[in-house]
Amino acid sequence: LLVSLAPVSQIAAQQSTEYRGKLDPGLRPATWTYQPMRVTAATPDTKAAFDKGAVADSDRIFVSSVSAGNVGAFPVALVESTRGGEALYVDIDRSGTWTESEKVRLQGGPEGMDGTFAVPLPPSFAFKSLPITVVLMTPQASRPPGVLPAMYQSAGAYIEGHVDINGRSTLVM
């Protein structure tokens, strides 16, 4: 890895300092920009695609998908429990079923919730997985009955890591 640091005034003078080190990079979801997700009410047979006992007959289910660029789309289900709370499921293995291991923890409250998960990338990619954040802008507690939830996904990812520069660990993005 080559990191070049130069104040703006020095850039004009073509002066810079080089530091060499090892970067241990990771992908992070780009949470400063989101794209809307098309959400629809699930069909009655959707409940059969969940692990037994994961959803109650009275729970409402909405479906969508997240886009992972060239890797394709991954089906998503938002379950609104009549017992209270929401759960997000992502069909990571694209098997057509949603299991407990594909459940994403949502954090937040009535003003909005979000959850982050990773989808696998092909072996030819430099990274093993792509992190995606889904934002639920209108949890059931703040949405009138009959209105579809508003959901968004992070629009990309960025590389982040740390490199040792003059004995100090420095964040590089």
Side-chain angles (χ1 to χ4, degrees):
L1 168 73
L2 175 65
V3 178
S4 179
L5 303 174
V8 173
S9 61
Q10 287 183 349
I11 290 174
Q14 298 297 317
Q15 296 177 354
S16 65
T17 305
E18 285 185 7
Y19 295 96
R20 295 185 184 268
K22 182 175 180 188
L23 176 67
D24 184 22
L27 284 179
R28 306 285 182 263
T31 55
W32 56 83
T33 180
Y34 290 91
Q35 58 190 29
M37 298 169 60
R38 186 174 175 264
V39 179
T40 60
T43 60
D45 61 332
T46 301
K47 287 184 182 175
F50 284 88
D51 279 347
K52 188 173 179 95
V55 295
D57 288 338
S58 56
D59 291 347
R60 294 185 300 179
I61 302 173
F62 301 93
V63 293
S64 187
S65 64
V66 293
S67 173
N70 293 343
V71 179
F74 291 82
V76 172
L78 174 68
V79 177
E80 293 183 338
S81 174
T82 54
R83 301 175 300 269
E86 290 89 352
L88 182 70
Y89 290 82
V90 181
D91 189 4
I92 297 290
D93 60 7
R94 298 179 182 151
S95 64
T97 60
W98 285 291
T99 63
E100 188 63 29
S101 67
E102 295 175 313
K103 187 176 184 178
V104 177
R105 188 169 93 91
L106 292 173
Q107 302 177 69
E111 68 287 344
M113 305 176 88
D114 64 65
T116 300
F117 54 91
V119 298
L121 293 173
S124 61
F125 282 56
F127 295 93
K128 293 181 185 207
S129 61
L130 173 68
I132 297 174
T133 297
V134 169
V135 176
L136 174 60
M137 296 296 291
T138 53
Q140 66 178 347
S142 63
R143 189 176 67 250
V147 174
L148 292 173
M151 295 173 63
Y152 298 84
Q153 80 165 79
S154 52
Y158 64 96
I159 299 172
E160 178 183 279
H162 287 83
V163 66
D164 187 308
I165 298 177
N166 291 339
R168 287 186 22 212
S169 180
T170 304
L171 178 65
V172 179
M173 296 162 59

